[in-house]
Amino acid sequence: MTIQIYGIRHCDTMKKAFAWLDSQGLEYHFHDYQKAGVPMAELRHWVARWDWEALINRKGTTWRRLSESEREVADAEAAINLMETHPSLIRRPILTDGDQDLLGFDGEAWAQAFPIRRGAG
């Protein structure tokens, strides 16, 4: 099982996620979508999995810096284009191991997703 975690390195929530993964002894590969962008196939998969509204981080500075017209996202395709252009709009972290996808950091949900390693460290 290879865990892939997507996000932005210097985000406080990402730091919590990295600390949790490390404390569980779980190996992972990090994809910084602020620096490397987001693969379109992944972005479309996430929108299908969670809906585009759940993926857009409306609390961050990137959202606040958008113009009014950019914030008027009408549908999934417009949201995908906006997230592709501004990857830091994507809620984080996104964790996947090929069998499951988790959106946002929730230690309890992550412990349920990875019960074999629970309490390891």
Side-chain angles (χ1 to χ4, degrees):
M1 163 181 64
T2 300
I3 295 172
Q4 180 81 24
I5 184 168
Y6 294 86
I8 297 170
R9 169 124 359 241
H10 299 292
C11 166
D12 288 341
T13 304
M14 289 299 299
K15 290 175 185 177
K16 291 176 191 174
F18 293 137
W20 188 91
L21 289 166
D22 292 340
S23 75
Q24 300 302 305
L26 294 169
E27 293 183 25
Y28 56 90
H29 179 263
F30 172 58
H31 181 99
D32 187 332
Y33 49 56
Q34 187 175 36
K35 292 183 179 179
V38 181
M40 184 55 73
E42 289 296 326
L43 193 51
R44 290 190 182 283
H45 171 76
W46 299 337
V47 167
R49 170 74 170 87
W50 291 296
D51 189 37
W52 63 268
E53 297 217 24
L55 282 171
I56 294 179
N57 177 8
R58 289 182 171 86
K59 296 177 183 176
T61 57
T62 303
W63 178 258
R64 290 191 298 268
R65 289 181 187 156
L66 295 176
S67 68
E68 278 296 315
S69 62
E70 288 176 304
R71 285 190 222 166
E72 293 175 9
V73 181
D75 57 26
E77 201 58 39
I80 288 169
N81 291 333
L82 189 63
M83 289 183 283
E84 182 182 33
T85 303
H86 303 282
S88 57
L89 282 174
I90 302 169
R91 188 170 163 211
R92 52 201 173 264
I94 294 176
L95 189 78
T96 183
D97 70 358
D99 293 325
Q100 57 193 338
D101 302 313
L102 302 168
L103 176 62
F105 176 68
D106 178 339
E108 289 183 29
W110 287 22
Q112 289 177 7
F114 301 101
I116 296 171
R117 306 280 179 115
R118 189 173 186 178

